[in-house]
């Protein structure tokens, strides 16, 4: 492992002791430790905060003693969107702070070297840090025609993946392509593209899906492993529950309009201008698990629905084949039967009508209604 500790590395870059302490608390929140079992422990309220403080102290001790974590980042059938997203974490964001705890031993896009030199650097890193490095994979793996659709340095993607996975301490699939095959796997899938966990079946793979994945979800999982040496709790699709435990709809700022039965019917109608729910314009927020509505993008500035565009469901498997992007009531995963969809929309409309009637009755009782 690199001899320098995380604390020493940050100190060299001008991070003060005060900021270092703040970082411990920030990491606790970013990795979802504020929602750790301590909240559901049944402890008295007077003990909850001290327990939370213990978590931050544990992180502090780890940052002071843990050595920097080597990372090997592979890219296969992808658009480099997830790398672009992570590299555009705005300073001094969590993304940049966390990446300072790592040593990027190999990355085709970010490495200064190229050709045989960078490939040799990867081989050296895999030998030197065998069993200690994190393997991050971006892009799907094609299996058709013996893997001929993605060849790097004369070797197929699947060869590179299996070789690097054999010595990895943890494997993280970043983006929908690496997690579930993404756009390359869309019908008719001519390259027979697969997600990492379909190829590597004898080791745990953490999926960070999205197109691209939210940078803080990627760096948060890496930080969790760097500090604790373990992977976070995962759901049935191997996504970390901290970032994928709720649907986009659960925390959407347009949800009150859904509950009131108010929907935009086109992108230029009065409902769209008023910020109404985009469900009937194809929004897949109710069936998509991701933290878009809470973390958002560009330092919490916005996310697609806030900007007026329906959720495409890009953190779910087979999202590209899940129905028309702007087709109302379409869903990418476990598509509901028509009666269930109608009932859901009807419930929203009924709730809205009920609220309107209740408000009118209140006004009338106060002599406001004419």
């Amino acid at each position: 492992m690199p001899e320098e500790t995380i604390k020493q590395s940050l100190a060299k870059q001008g991070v003060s002791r005060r900021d270092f302490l703040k970082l411990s608390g920030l990491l606790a929140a970013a990795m979802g430790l504020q929602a750790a079992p301590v909240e559901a422990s049944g402890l008295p309220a007077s003990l909850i905060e001290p327990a939370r403080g213990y978590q931050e102290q544990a992180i502090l001790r780890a940052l002071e003693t843990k050595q920097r974590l080597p990372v090997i980042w592979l890219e296969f059938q992808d658009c480099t969107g997830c790398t672009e997203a992570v590299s555009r974490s705005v300073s001094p964001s969590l993304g940049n702070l966390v990446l300072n705890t790592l040593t990027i031993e190999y990355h085709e896009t970010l490495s200064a070297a190229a050709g045989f030199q960078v490939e040799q650097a990867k081989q050296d890193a895999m030998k030197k840090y065998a069993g200690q490095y994190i393997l991050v994979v971006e892009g799907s793996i094609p299996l058709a025609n013996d893997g001929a659709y993605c060849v790097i340095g004369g070797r197929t993607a699947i060869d590179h993946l299996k070789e690097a996975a054999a010595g990895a301490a943890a494997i993280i699939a970043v983006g929908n392509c690496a997690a579930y095959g993404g756009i390359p796997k869309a019908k008719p899938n001519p390259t027979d593209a697969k997600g990492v966990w379909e190829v590597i079946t004898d080791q745990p793979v953490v999926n960070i899906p999205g197109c691209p994945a939210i940078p803080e979800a990627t760096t948060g999982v890496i930080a969790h492993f760097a500090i604790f040496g373990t992977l976070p709790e995962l759901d049935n699709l191997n996504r970390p529950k901290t970032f994928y435990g709720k649907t986009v709809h659960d925390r959407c700022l347009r949800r009150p309009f859904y509950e009131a039965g108010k929907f935009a019917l086109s992108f230029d109608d009065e409902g769209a201008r008023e910020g109404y729910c985009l469900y009937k314009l194809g929004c897949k927020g109710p069936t998509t698990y991701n933290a878009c509505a809470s973390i958002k993008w560009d330092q919490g500035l916005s996310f697609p629905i806030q900007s007026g565009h329906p959720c495409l469901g890009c953190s779910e498997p087979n999202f590209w084949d899940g129905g028309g992007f702007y087709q109302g009531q379409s869903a990418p995963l476990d598509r509901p039967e028509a009666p269930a969809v109608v009932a859901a929309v009807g419930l929203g409309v009924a709730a809205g009508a009920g609220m309107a009637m209740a408000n009118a009755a209140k006004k009338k009782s106060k002599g406001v209604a004419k």
Side-chain angles (χ1 to χ4, degrees):
M1 295 288 284
E3 295 180 358
E4 198 172 54
T5 67
I6 296 171
K7 179 185 177 183
Q8 291 169 339
S9 174
L10 291 171
K12 281 186 177 180
Q13 298 174 56
V15 177
S16 67
R17 175 68 178 174
R18 181 184 295 274
D19 288 336
F20 181 67
L21 293 173
K22 290 180 180 178
L23 174 61
S24 300
L26 181 62
L27 286 172
M31 291 185 291
L33 295 185
Q34 79 280 9
V38 76
E39 296 289 353
S41 63
L43 289 171
S46 60
L47 297 179
I48 293 291
E49 286 304 321
R52 232 190 244 116
Y54 174 80
Q55 293 171 338
E56 294 182 12
Q57 288 298 316
I59 292 174
L60 177 62
R61 287 193 296 272
L63 291 176
E64 289 177 326
T65 58
K66 293 274 187 177
Q67 294 175 325
R68 298 179 68 196
L69 187 68
V71 173
I72 293 176
W73 189 302
L74 302 179
E75 291 188 71
F76 299 130
Q77 288 191 135
D78 70 322
C79 66
T80 319
C82 294
T83 289
E84 293 285 349
V86 170
S87 67
R88 279 165 171 73
S89 293
V90 181
S91 179
S93 71
L94 171 65
N96 286 332
L97 290 171
V98 169
L99 289 176
N100 284 330
T101 71
L102 313 175
T103 59
I104 306 297
E105 300 293 335
Y106 177 89
H107 193 304
E108 292 175 17
T109 303
L110 302 179
S111 294
F116 72 89
Q117 291 178 322
V118 74
E119 291 302 315
Q120 186 60 51
K122 184 183 76 169
Q123 293 295 325
D124 293 343
M126 287 191 296
K127 292 178 182 178
K128 183 177 181 180
Y129 304 123
Q132 300 173 312
Y133 61 82
I134 279 187
L135 174 62
V136 179
V137 183
E138 181 178 357
S140 62
I141 300 91
L143 302 184
N145 293 336
D146 296 322
Y149 292 102
C150 185
V151 176
I152 303 164
R155 300 174 60 203
T156 64
I158 191 168
D159 287 341
H160 283 284
L161 173 62
K162 288 185 174 181
E163 178 187 54
I171 304 173
I172 300 175
V174 175
N176 197 293
C177 294
Y180 309 126
I183 296 175
K185 191 179 180 179
K187 296 176 183 177
N189 190 9
T191 67
D192 191 22
K194 303 290 186 183
V196 175
W197 72 337
E198 296 178 274
V199 177
I200 305 299
T201 58
D202 58 346
Q203 294 170 264
V205 177
V206 180
N207 290 324
I208 313 291
C211 194
I214 295 175
E216 287 74 13
T218 302
T219 54
V221 170
I222 294 175
H224 191 286
F225 189 85
I227 292 170
F228 297 110
T230 60
L231 297 174
E233 185 180 3
L234 307 178
D235 68 7
N236 65 314
L237 292 176
N238 281 23
R239 300 175 296 194
K241 290 185 177 181
T242 297
F243 302 103
Y244 298 91
K246 301 286 185 181
T247 67
V248 175
H249 180 70
D250 286 335
R251 297 174 179 173
C252 181
L253 76 170
R254 295 177 186 254
R255 181 167 180 174
F257 290 111
Y258 174 91
E259 303 293 348
K262 295 183 177 181
F263 302 94
L265 301 179
S266 71
F267 288 102
D268 60 352
D269 68 4
E270 185 64 24
R273 287 190 286 272
E274 293 294 328
Y276 287 2
C277 178
L278 302 174
Y279 183 70
K280 291 189 176 182
L281 293 177
C283 184
K284 299 170 178 64
T287 54
T288 300
Y289 289 81
N290 208 338
C292 304
S294 50
I295 296 178
K296 303 184 182 180
W297 297 83
D298 195 11
Q299 292 187 307
L301 177 64
S302 186
F303 73 109
I305 296 175
Q306 184 175 338
S307 299
H309 194 284
C311 169
L312 301 181
C314 71
S315 56
E316 298 295 333
N318 307 313
F319 83 98
W320 200 260
D321 298 320
F325 284 153
Y326 307 107
Q327 173 188 340
Q329 303 169 10
S330 61
L333 181 66
D334 296 331
R335 189 169 183 167
E337 299 295 330
V341 174
V342 172
V345 176
L347 180 61
V349 173
M355 291 172 66
M357 291 173 64
N359 289 334
K362 288 181 181 179
K363 291 181 179 179
K364 187 173 182 180
S365 65
K366 295 180 180 179
V368 176
K370 299 294 184 182

